[in-house]
Amino acid sequence: MKSVVICTMVCLVMLASPAMSHDSHRTHMVSVHDVSCRWDNVNFDLEDGTIVLEHEGRDIETVEITEDYELYVNGDKIELNEHQQELVAEFYESVMDIIDYAKALGWEGARIGAEGAKLGLQAVGGLFKVVFTSYDTDDFERDIEREAEKIEAKAEKLEKKAERIEVMAEDLADLAQEMDEEIPQLDELGWF
């Protein structure tokens, strides 16, 4: 079960890539950009808004959760009681929340990286300024350090925000464990 959650988290962080669509509506974000990864005999896919977990053991077993919070195990729709349905819905929404949060962090990280690249270009320009004007190396160092400190402060804030993903992952692991305990078809798999 921990392997499933770890794989899920790795894949979700991959979604934070700045290559992602600017579309903030979950359905479009997920359906336009599928993602998959493999971890400990479990493949995680996000296909057209459906979470798909596939375990490759003696037989291939699958768990799917749709946007409508329907649960399928090995292609069979599982009838859920009210509590089980709430768990499945919470799991789905938690995964989507992690995707949204990771995507936002990815964009913020990309902006900070761009500021760092810009600082590098400013440094090159500053060297020319030192050589050809009265601007001296002390001025150059002071200005570069000042800008670098601003970028570093932004990066530290981003790092603190990223720690939230760890908490979200722990909550998702707890939720997956509860689903495994409450939904017999998941428990029977022995890997969810």
Side-chain angles (χ1 to χ4, degrees):
M1 195 279 302
K2 255 190 174 176
S3 297
V4 172
V5 173
I6 291 170
C7 176
T8 302
M9 290 308 304
V10 169
C11 290
L12 296 178
V13 171
M14 287 170 44
L15 285 172
S17 167
M20 291 290 295
S21 164
H22 289 286
D23 188 351
S24 64
H25 188 269
R26 285 186 179 161
T27 303
H28 292 114
M29 178 186 72
V30 174
S31 66
V32 172
H33 301 282
D34 294 342
V35 66
S36 66
C37 73
R38 179 178 172 80
W39 187 277
D40 227 13
N41 294 331
V42 177
N43 292 318
F44 171 90
D45 291 298
L46 198 52
E47 300 173 351
D48 295 325
T50 297
I51 297 167
V52 180
L53 300 168
E54 185 177 84
H55 182 266
E56 295 180 13
R58 287 178 288 233
D59 296 316
I60 295 176
E61 300 173 317
T62 61
V63 172
E64 298 176 60
I65 301 174
T66 70
E67 292 175 297
D68 296 325
Y69 314 133
E70 294 174 334
L71 175 67
Y72 292 84
V73 175
N74 296 324
D76 296 326
K77 184 177 180 183
I78 306 302
E79 295 301 320
L80 304 169
N81 64 35
E82 188 176 329
H83 178 66
Q84 293 167 332
Q85 186 67 60
E86 289 171 1
L87 291 173
V88 169
E90 187 178 348
F91 184 87
Y92 186 91
E93 289 302 320
S94 293
V95 169
M96 294 301 123
D97 288 346
I98 291 169
I99 289 171
D100 289 345
Y101 194 75
K103 181 180 174 185
L105 288 177
W107 280 111
E108 192 171 340
R111 282 192 298 274
I112 292 169
E115 289 180 31
K118 180 180 172 186
L119 179 60
L121 292 174
Q122 287 175 340
V124 170
L127 291 174
F128 284 110
K129 207 171 165 184
V130 167
V131 172
F132 296 112
T133 70
S134 62
Y135 186 76
D136 65 20
T137 56
D138 290 336
D139 295 331
F140 171 76
E141 286 179 24
R142 181 195 63 240
D143 291 346
I144 293 297
E145 282 181 28
R146 185 179 304 138
E147 291 303 312
E149 286 172 1
K150 290 178 187 176
I151 294 171
E152 188 175 329
K154 289 178 183 179
E156 287 173 5
K157 285 180 184 177
L158 181 63
E159 185 178 358
K160 286 185 191 322
K161 287 180 183 179
E163 291 172 1
R164 181 164 169 3
I165 286 182
E166 186 176 337
V167 172
M168 294 169 86
E170 290 170 4
D171 291 345
L172 186 64
D174 292 343
L175 183 57
Q177 180 66 40
E178 187 176 354
M179 286 173 63
D180 190 57
E181 293 168 1
E182 296 291 326
I183 302 173
Q185 294 87 343
L186 294 179
D187 185 47
E188 290 169 11
L189 292 172
W191 57 265
F192 183 81

